[in-house]
């Protein structure tokens, strides 16, 4: 048995080992490939669009190690993919690894929105090979790809010699990915020019490129008739997500919810359980219990005196007892000695209680977020920390808005050790704590789309002119919106935020995910519906980046489970119409 997973970067030790083995196999099995191109594999993952081509690496692994790999180049501007290399390991032929890798390549191309997959195959015509002993092997490759409908493009000069005497020049093969959409001449010319200029710039002079491009005259482009299959064998679209492409769902049970009913609090653990039951049934999730992480990760974000206060005061409370701040001094003063009075020094509002279970539950929520962040480092594409209490109002040394430890900020700090991070807050309320944590940092881009602070909590932050300070100037972006918002307006601002993320070019994205933006939420006033949430998930997926979702707001309404379900369907299903979600 083996599994196939996508390698997004060379950050984790597991990914580093896999990439080194891929390079070894490339050198062993493709000795004519320019060694410098093999050496650049890690660099192409760190700088994905250096040559307007994003590199996708897929590896087949088992307990025996790396058993095969494929590398694909994706050109987002022209919406095509190019299969660069695909190979099973030594002694692995006939074990189904090559076929499984190619089917996964096709699935990745569909998810990336590619119009088709292009690649080169050595010729199976006797006149095009220098040694007829190679004909059978070349024919076997083309026979394999014909099973998927992929065939060489006909009536073109793609195999035109670059230098006199060049032989065994490859055909350009096209796979429509099962869509049966014709490839138009203009599209084909642009794509072929991109392949020759971006991949083979070192080899192909401009006049050669022009001649090959001009040879594409048919409109639409014609493919060679089927030679090895009596008729096209149509592969059904994948109905289940591969294991590593499923969303990792991390949930932790609470000990004692710090939400007393006598004060009319809407914050409660009930939505977490509703969402957990709904999402755990969906076949696009894989559930995992949180690991325990050391306190050093919390201390990297929150002030030590603040953390000490939280632990001490909650340890003194009795079961069922709730403690509220009632005096709010100037922050320039020293914390008072009396714990009861000191609460106001670290609190932003008088609505957020402390209970005996506050520290345990908040700390366990952090472990959920860090478990999801670690999963991204281990190669997972999406993870979702379904946590309570939320965290995005918790600053370096303050708690507020039912938030005590900033789960998303702690996860972003954890990931920032390995590259730039974008922290996108989609809760109805401004991500005030996250802004506070990264206010003077340039390595974490904080963005928040929220109700205008003129009318919504936390009232004193979230204005558009708050841009950051010092190294963080320009790395904090706020998008305050009016009290009434429908899907079209929200979508425009989400696209602005996503464009800013693309310009920032982070390695990871953390999303503070609030479903209180939905219609009918008791703490919000917007009218977003299930279709809107699905569109939001699809838009975020197009970033093509490892992304951690951390739960923030969202309260007991009949629609919260539906909104969450549709959001995550949008995240994984746009190019998988046959995907099972139940």
């Amino acid at each position: 048995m083996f599994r196939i997973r996508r390698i997004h970067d060379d950050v984790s030790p597991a990914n580093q080992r896999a990439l080194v083995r891929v390079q070894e196999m490339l050198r062993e099995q493709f000795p004519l490939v320019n060694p410098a191109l093999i050496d650049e594999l890690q660099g192409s993952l760190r700088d994905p669009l250096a040559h307007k081509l994003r590199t996708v690496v897929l590896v087949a692994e088992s307990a025996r190690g790396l058993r095969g790999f494929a590398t694909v180049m994706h050109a987002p501007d022209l919406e095509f993919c190019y299969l660069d290399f695909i190979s099973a390991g030594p002694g692995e032929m006939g074990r189904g690894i090559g076929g499984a890798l190619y089917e996964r390549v096709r699935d990745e191309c569909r998810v990336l929105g590619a119009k088709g997959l292009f690649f080169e195959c050595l010729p199976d015509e006797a006149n095009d090979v220098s040694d007829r002993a190679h004909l059978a092997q070349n024919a076997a490759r083309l026979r394999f790809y014909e099973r998927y409908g992929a065939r060489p493009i006909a009536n073109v000069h793609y195999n035109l010699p670059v230098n006199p005497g060049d032989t065994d020049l490859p055909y350009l093969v096209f796979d429509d990915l099962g869509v049966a959409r014709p490839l138009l001449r203009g599209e084909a010319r642009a794509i072929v020019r991109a392949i020759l200029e971006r991949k083979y710039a070192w080899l192909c002079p401009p006049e050669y490129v022009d001649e090959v491009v001009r040879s594409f005259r048919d409109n639409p482009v014609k493919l060679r008739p089927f030679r090895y299959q009596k008729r096209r064998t149509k592969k059904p679209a994948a109905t289940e997500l591969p294991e590593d492409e499923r969303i990792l769902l991390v949930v932790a049970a609470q000990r004692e919810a710090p939400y007393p009913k006598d004060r009319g609090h809407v914050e409660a653990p009930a939505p977490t359980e509703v969402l957990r039951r709904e999402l755990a049934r969906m076949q696009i999730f894989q559930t995992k219990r949180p690991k325990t992480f050391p306190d050093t990760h919390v201390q990297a974000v929150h002030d030590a005196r603040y953390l000490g206060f939280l632990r001490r005061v909650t340890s003194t409370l009795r079961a069922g007892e709730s403690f509220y701040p009632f005096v709010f001094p100037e922050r320039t003063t020293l914390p008072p000695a009396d714990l009861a009075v000191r609460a106001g020094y670290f609190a932003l509002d008088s609505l957020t209680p402390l209970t005996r279970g506050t520290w345990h539950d908040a700390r366990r929520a952090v472990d959920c977020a860090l478990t999801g962040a670690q999963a991204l480092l281990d190669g997972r594409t999406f993870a979702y920390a379904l946590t309570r209490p939320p965290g995005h109002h918790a600053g370096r040394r303050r708690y507020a808005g039912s938030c005590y430890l900033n789960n998303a900020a702690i996860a972003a700090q954890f990931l920032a050790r390995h590259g730039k991070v974008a922290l996108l807050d989609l809760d109805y309320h401004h991500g005030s704590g996250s802004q506070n944590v990264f206010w003077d940092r340039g390595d974490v881009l904080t963005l928040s789309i929220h109700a205008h602070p003129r009318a919504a909590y936390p009232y004193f932050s979230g204005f558009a002119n708050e841009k950051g300070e010092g190294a963080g100037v320009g790395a904090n972006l706020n998008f305050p919106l009016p009290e009434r918002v429908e899907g079209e307006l929200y979508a425009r601002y989400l696209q602005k935020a996503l464009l800013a993320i693309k310009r920032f070019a982070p390695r990871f994205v953390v999303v503070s995910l609030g479903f209180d933006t939905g219609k009918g939420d008791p703490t919000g006033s917007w009218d977003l519906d299930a279709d809107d949430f699905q569109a939001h998930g699809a838009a975020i997926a197009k970033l093509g980046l490892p992304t951690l979702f951390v739960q923030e707001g969202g309260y007991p309404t009949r629609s919260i489970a539906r909104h969450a379900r549709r959001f995550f369907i949008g995240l994984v299903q746009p190019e998988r119409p046959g995907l099972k979600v139940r």
Side-chain angles (χ1 to χ4, degrees):
M1 294 293 291
F2 59 88
R3 69 162 185 164
I4 297 175
R5 69 181 180 95
R6 177 175 173 180
I7 296 180
H8 291 276
D9 52 51
D10 62 343
V11 172
S12 71
N15 284 357
Q16 292 169 4
R17 289 192 297 270
L19 288 170
V20 167
R21 182 60 185 135
V22 167
Q23 289 173 311
E24 292 173 350
M25 290 175 64
L26 281 168
R27 295 186 186 100
E28 294 165 2
Q29 299 184 27
F30 302 93
L32 299 181
V33 174
N34 186 340
L37 297 178
I38 298 176
D39 294 338
E40 290 176 359
L41 182 60
Q42 282 94 335
S44 66
L45 290 174
R46 295 190 202 112
D47 189 4
L49 293 177
H51 305 289
K52 296 185 179 180
L53 291 169
R54 174 184 288 135
T55 299
V56 176
V57 180
L58 300 170
V59 292
E61 297 173 317
S62 71
R64 292 162 46 189
L66 191 75
R67 301 180 62 183
F69 71 91
T71 62
V72 180
M73 294 180 175
H74 172 226
D77 57 335
L78 295 176
E79 299 179 313
F80 78 91
C81 286
Y82 180 90
L83 177 60
D84 207 2
F85 297 102
I86 184 169
S87 178
E92 300 286 1
M93 296 299 294
R95 298 177 183 269
I97 292 174
L101 277 167
Y102 186 67
E103 290 183 18
R104 179 61 180 275
V105 165
R106 299 179 87 228
D107 187 49
E108 289 287 336
C109 293
R110 283 189 286 262
V111 171
L112 291 169
K115 296 175 180 175
L117 173 64
F118 296 79
F119 53 94
E120 296 175 352
C121 266
L122 291 174
D124 58 351
E125 294 278 2
N127 294 335
D128 293 334
V129 298
S130 58
D131 186 346
R132 295 199 175 194
H134 297 157
L135 275 175
Q137 186 178 40
N138 296 353
R141 289 196 187 97
L142 286 162
R143 181 184 299 110
F144 167 79
Y145 292 120
E146 263 198 19
R147 290 164 43 196
Y148 300 89
R151 290 163 288 152
I153 297 177
N155 306 328
V156 296
H157 297 160
Y158 187 84
N159 59 343
L160 182 73
V162 178
N163 303 301
D166 287 347
T167 60
D168 299 271
L169 298 168
Y171 302 150
L172 182 63
V173 179
F174 175 66
D175 183 342
D176 67 8
L177 305 175
V179 177
R181 175 187 177 277
L183 178 64
L184 301 180
R185 179 178 58 204
E187 295 172 331
R189 285 183 169 182
I191 289 169
V192 170
R193 181 176 294 279
I195 293 171
L196 297 178
E197 292 180 346
R198 300 179 190 181
K199 178 173 169 56
Y200 294 111
W202 56 276
L203 176 64
C204 300
E207 57 274 15
Y208 174 88
V209 174
D210 290 341
E211 184 172 354
V212 173
V213 169
R214 283 196 300 269
S215 73
F216 283 71
R217 297 187 177 91
D218 293 328
N219 192 24
V221 169
K222 295 181 180 178
L223 303 185
R224 190 176 78 176
F226 284 96
R227 178 171 295 183
Y228 303 106
Q229 303 285 334
K230 291 183 178 180
R231 60 182 180 180
R232 174 173 178 161
T233 303
K234 186 174 181 180
K235 285 280 183 177
T239 60
E240 293 188 6
L241 276 180
E243 181 179 312
D244 70 297
E245 289 295 306
R246 295 183 184 183
I247 305 164
L248 191 71
L249 176 62
V250 190
V251 189
Q254 291 180 305
R255 175 185 292 173
E256 179 185 342
Y259 319 119
K261 298 178 181 179
D262 58 335
R263 296 221 175 188
H265 280 266
V266 292
E267 182 62 53
T272 304
E273 183 58 24
V274 169
L275 292 176
R276 186 198 66 77
R277 287 198 306 267
E278 176 67 19
L279 301 182
R281 293 198 299 264
M282 299 175 69
Q283 295 180 0
I284 61 175
F285 286 94
Q286 182 181 14
T287 303
K288 181 180 179 67
R289 291 182 62 83
K291 294 169 55 180
T292 300
F293 287 79
D295 287 339
T296 52
H297 298 299
V298 182
Q299 295 160 359
V301 167
H302 291 291
D303 177 77
R305 287 188 302 178
Y306 166 64
L307 295 174
F309 162 77
L310 273 185
R311 288 182 116 160
R312 284 185 61 194
V313 74
T314 56
S315 68
T316 65
L317 297 173
R318 299 185 300 273
E321 182 182 4
S322 299
F323 177 73
Y324 292 85
F326 57 91
V327 178
F328 296 89
E330 291 287 341
R331 292 308 193 272
T332 55
T333 63
L334 293 174
D338 188 290
L339 280 179
V341 179
R342 195 182 305 179
Y345 185 85
F346 293 111
L348 185 68
D349 61 47
S350 62
L351 302 174
T352 302
L354 298 176
T355 73
R356 188 175 66 172
T358 295
W359 174 260
H360 172 272
D361 289 350
R363 189 61 185 79
R364 203 63 174 141
V366 168
D367 284 337
C368 282
L370 289 175
T371 300
Q374 182 62 56
L376 300 191
L377 294 180
D378 293 340
R380 183 77 61 163
T381 305
F382 299 125
Y384 175 31
L386 180 50
T387 58
R388 273 299 194 268
H392 71 143
H393 293 309
R396 290 174 179 167
R397 56 181 64 88
R398 71 184 186 210
Y399 64 99
S402 298
C403 301
Y404 307 94
L405 301 177
N406 196 317
N407 311 309
I410 293 169
Q413 171 66 25
F414 179 83
L415 292 169
R417 300 175 304 169
H418 304 284
K420 294 193 297 183
V421 178
L423 175 49
L424 173 63
D425 196 303
L426 300 183
D427 190 271
Y428 176 83
H429 307 91
H430 175 235
S432 52
S434 302
Q435 174 175 292
N436 173 259
V437 169
F438 297 111
W439 182 248
D440 54 0
R441 296 265 297 270
D443 60 329
V444 177
L445 174 67
T446 51
L447 314 94
S448 181
I449 305 173
H450 52 268
H452 201 286
R454 284 194 307 261
Y457 186 91
Y459 302 109
F460 296 99
S461 69
F463 296 91
N465 62 354
E466 296 166 6
K467 302 291 186 181
E469 290 183 354
V473 171
N476 186 81
L477 299 176
N478 287 322
F479 301 94
L481 302 185
E483 282 189 81
R484 306 305 303 184
V485 170
E486 295 184 350
E488 184 177 349
L489 176 64
Y490 190 94
R492 290 206 302 269
Y493 280 90
L494 178 59
Q495 286 303 321
K496 288 182 180 181
L498 296 179
L499 181 60
I501 291 174
K502 290 178 183 178
R503 289 195 295 262
F504 185 67
R507 183 159 290 181
F508 305 99
V509 177
V510 177
V511 176
S512 284
L513 184 60
F515 293 115
D516 49 0
T517 54
K519 185 175 183 179
D521 189 276
T523 67
S525 60
W526 292 351
D527 295 317
L528 303 184
D529 60 22
D531 289 342
D532 296 321
F533 280 99
Q534 184 161 339
H536 302 165
I540 292 170
K542 289 182 180 178
L543 289 173
L545 293 168
T547 303
L548 169 66
F549 300 89
V550 180
Q551 187 61 44
E552 302 291 354
Y555 302 100
T557 67
R558 285 185 242 175
S559 57
I560 185 172
R562 182 169 66 254
H563 290 168
R565 173 187 169 85
R566 292 285 295 279
F567 177 87
F568 289 109
I569 288 174
L571 189 70
V572 300
Q573 197 182 36
E575 302 301 327
R576 297 179 173 101
L579 184 68
K580 292 180 182 177
V581 295
R582 281 290 188 200

